[in-house]
């Protein structure tokens, strides 16, 4: 979440794509139990909701890989 909030690097998509759906930020049920247990007083459900929303704007790792492959093919064709 911190990496995504500070700078959306491509590795974030790769890391998030490796997480099972039931562990994604969108799986948070917003019960608030974690907020009460958090020693830093972070409103975890709010953070998870923001994280889930930001994740929607990221391309999937599959899409990033497809774009890289297309760019490599285009570059190779231009060199010929």
């Amino acid at each position: 979440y911190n990496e995504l909030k500070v700078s959306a690097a491509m590795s974030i998509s790769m890391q998030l794509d490796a997480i099972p759906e039931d562990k994604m930020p969108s799986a948070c049920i917003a019960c608030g139990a974690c907020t009460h247990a958090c020693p830093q007083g972070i409103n975890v459900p709010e953070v998870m909701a923001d994280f889930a929303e930001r994740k929607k704007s990221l391309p999937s790792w599959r899409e990033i890989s497809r774009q890289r492959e297309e760019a490599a093919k285009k570059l190779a064709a231009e060199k010929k």
Side-chain angles (χ1 to χ4, degrees):
Y1 177 73
N2 289 338
E3 289 180 34
L4 178 59
K5 195 163 182 173
V6 174
S7 67
M10 288 186 289
S11 64
I12 295 169
S13 289
M14 180 177 68
Q15 293 166 5
L16 289 172
D17 283 355
I19 297 173
E21 229 14 78
D22 66 330
K23 304 295 184 207
M24 289 288 185
S26 58
C28 174
I29 61 171
C31 68
C34 50
T35 298
H36 297 296
C38 180
Q40 294 178 315
I42 297 170
N43 183 338
V44 179
E46 184 179 291
V47 171
M48 290 294 100
D50 182 50
F51 194 176
E53 197 59 36
R54 289 174 185 261
K55 183 184 177 305
K56 291 178 186 177
S57 67
L58 292 174
S60 68
W61 184 247
R62 177 176 284 152
E63 178 60 20
I64 292 170
S65 298
R66 187 193 63 74
Q67 290 173 3
R68 284 181 170 180
E69 186 177 348
E70 283 182 11
K73 287 177 182 177
K74 182 178 179 182
L75 184 61
E78 290 173 357
K79 288 184 177 181
K80 288 183 180 182

